[in-house]
Amino acid sequence: MKNLKKILFVLLFLVVAFVGGMFFANKQTEPEISSTLIQNRIEQASDLVTTKYHYAKVGKFENSLSLNGWSIPLTNKNFILTFEGEIQLGTDLSKAEVEIKDSTIHVTVDKPTVISNSIDESSIEVYDETKNIFNPISVNDYKKFAVEQKETALSEAKKKGLMKTAQENTKKSVKEIISVIPDTDEYTIEVTFKE
């Protein structure tokens, strides 16, 4: 009977030690939520493209030679272009600042900026192109016109709320990046932009 009590005591001790060891081992392997951990995860996304804006435009180019502000007759040149392009906006997450206060993760990032604004060259169609021997159309005319059209498209997109959309998408993307880190579901995530 005495031996049975000793055996039961030893078995109980071993079970408690095993369960305790497993509990502490699990505690040690769980990642601790820290601003450094979150910052590293955010920085891995680097230049985050959050918004793409597709545009299709028709533009007319006109030009003539001039002398003292007067247009010279028979030197007019023009063409009409149709084309498609895409504006990409994003944020450089390597400059993100992370702070954890109580149960809130505060992330401050740069405001979204234009990463690219490009015209799809395969979409360009030229119409009504004049052949003027006194003032021929040059490659530079097309290049200059394309730059002007891209700036016009960007300006129109901004008027339609593109920057606001990009900010909302950036907030959503940063929250999604953080939410895949284990145990962050217990935190409120706030994303703000630097002034």
Side-chain angles (χ1 to χ4, degrees):
M1 193 70 167
K2 229 177 186 184
N3 286 340
L4 185 61
K5 282 184 180 178
K6 283 182 183 177
I7 291 169
L8 284 174
F9 180 76
V10 169
L11 285 173
L12 183 64
F13 177 76
L14 289 172
V15 168
V16 169
F18 178 76
V19 170
M22 291 297 288
F23 176 77
F24 285 113
N26 283 343
K27 279 281 189 189
Q28 289 172 354
T29 58
E30 286 177 8
E32 185 181 327
I33 301 301
S34 69
S35 57
T36 306
L37 171 71
I38 292 170
Q39 185 134 12
N40 288 341
R41 289 290 175 92
I42 290 173
E43 285 177 0
Q44 287 173 7
S46 191
D47 288 332
L48 177 69
V49 175
T50 59
T51 307
K52 293 181 181 181
Y53 178 84
H54 186 81
Y55 57 87
K57 291 186 67 63
V58 176
K60 184 171 184 179
F61 172 87
E62 281 188 288
N63 178 273
S64 61
L65 296 177
S66 61
L67 183 65
N68 292 329
W70 293 88
S71 180
I72 300 172
L74 304 174
T75 63
N76 189 48
K77 62 180 174 181
N78 61 58
F79 57 83
I80 295 172
L81 276 187
T82 63
F83 55 91
E84 295 179 16
E86 185 178 76
I87 300 168
Q88 293 187 352
L89 284 90
T91 305
D92 181 3
L93 294 183
S94 67
K95 298 176 183 173
E97 296 170 4
V98 179
E99 183 185 7
I100 299 175
K101 220 176 207 179
D102 301 324
S103 61
T104 305
I105 299 169
H106 299 275
V107 182
T108 308
V109 296
D110 287 342
K111 287 181 179 176
T113 56
V114 177
I115 292 174
S116 71
N117 181 3
S118 57
I119 291 175
D120 177 9
E121 291 182 15
S122 65
S123 72
I124 297 173
E125 298 281 345
V126 181
Y127 301 97
D128 195 27
E129 186 177 27
T130 58
K131 308 281 187 207
N132 192 314
I133 58 169
F134 301 111
N135 188 14
I137 294 171
S138 68
V139 173
N140 283 339
D141 290 331
Y142 290 115
K143 285 182 181 177
K144 183 181 174 190
F145 185 68
V147 168
E148 289 171 1
Q149 292 303 304
K150 287 195 286 187
E151 289 171 2
T152 301
L154 179 60
S155 177
E156 289 172 359
K158 284 180 177 178
K159 285 178 186 172
K160 291 179 181 176
L162 182 64
M163 300 311 282
K164 187 176 179 183
T165 302
Q167 287 186 356
E168 292 304 314
N169 290 348
T170 299
K171 286 182 181 181
K172 183 180 173 187
S173 297
V174 170
K175 287 178 181 179
E176 285 173 357
I177 290 167
I178 295 170
S179 67
V180 297
I181 301 171
D183 299 328
T184 53
D185 52 346
E186 300 167 13
Y187 290 82
T188 302
I189 303 166
E190 289 183 356
V191 182
T192 55
F193 297 98
K194 296 176 187 175
E195 291 302 321

